[in-house]
Amino acid sequence: MRMDKLTSKFQLAIADAQSLAVGRDHQFIEPLHLMSALLDQEGGTVNHLLMQSGVNVNIVRSQLGEALERLSSIENASGDVHLSNDLSRLLNLTDKLAQKRKDQFISSELFVLAA
């Protein structure tokens, strides 16, 4: 997937997800990292979208935190993280959804919809 097709907010969320994975000594950036970053993103639209859909964002955030705690960490991690296979597949589905909708850019909202 071409990063220049992602909205600037979505690019920032991916960078935040990477930072979250590095900070927790995880080897891979998982969908959990990205969803957590999207929920914590200042000025982002995912919180609003989920609340409009009747989702209790606080419960989701808490469950994401618990799931992140359960991910294995690497001792003496070098900080080198990669996209997980699950996240790569989900990003590809998001790209496909954007193409079907004839969207010029891939947004955070489409990622949530694909997830």
Side-chain angles (χ1 to χ4, degrees), residues 40-95:
D40 291 341
Q41 190 172 52
E42 193 171 313
T45 57
V46 171
N47 270 333
H48 182 69
L49 174 70
L50 292 176
M51 286 190 293
Q52 289 281 1
S53 300
V55 173
N56 185 327
V57 176
N58 290 329
I59 290 174
V60 171
R61 184 177 280 118
S62 174
Q63 291 174 338
L64 283 170
E66 291 170 6
L68 285 169
E69 288 294 323
R70 288 191 299 269
L71 291 177
S72 61
S73 58
I74 307 296
E75 287 188 37
N76 302 320
S78 65
D80 189 27
V81 296
H82 306 281
L83 292 181
S84 71
N85 288 336
D86 288 340
L87 184 54
S88 292
R89 279 191 291 276
L90 194 49
L91 289 171
N92 287 337
L93 285 172
T94 306
D95 188 7

Side-chain angles (χ1 to χ4, degrees), residues 1 3 6 9-21 26 28-41 46 50 64 68 71 83-84 86-88 90-92 94 106-112 115:
M1 172 184 310
M3 291 297 283
L6 305 178
K9 282 282 193 187
F10 197 30
Q11 288 178 30
L12 287 172
I14 290 174
D16 289 344
Q18 178 181 5
S19 181
L20 181 59
H26 294 154
F28 297 102
I29 306 167
E30 299 286 351
L32 294 170
H33 295 106
L34 184 50
M35 189 60 80
S36 182
L38 288 169
L39 287 177
D40 291 341
Q41 190 172 52
V46 171
L50 292 176
L64 283 170
L68 285 169
L71 291 177
L83 292 181
S84 71
D86 288 340
L87 184 54
S88 292
L90 194 49
L91 289 171
N92 287 337
T94 306
I106 299 169
S107 67
S108 304
E109 297 85 0
L110 281 179
F111 175 80
V112 172

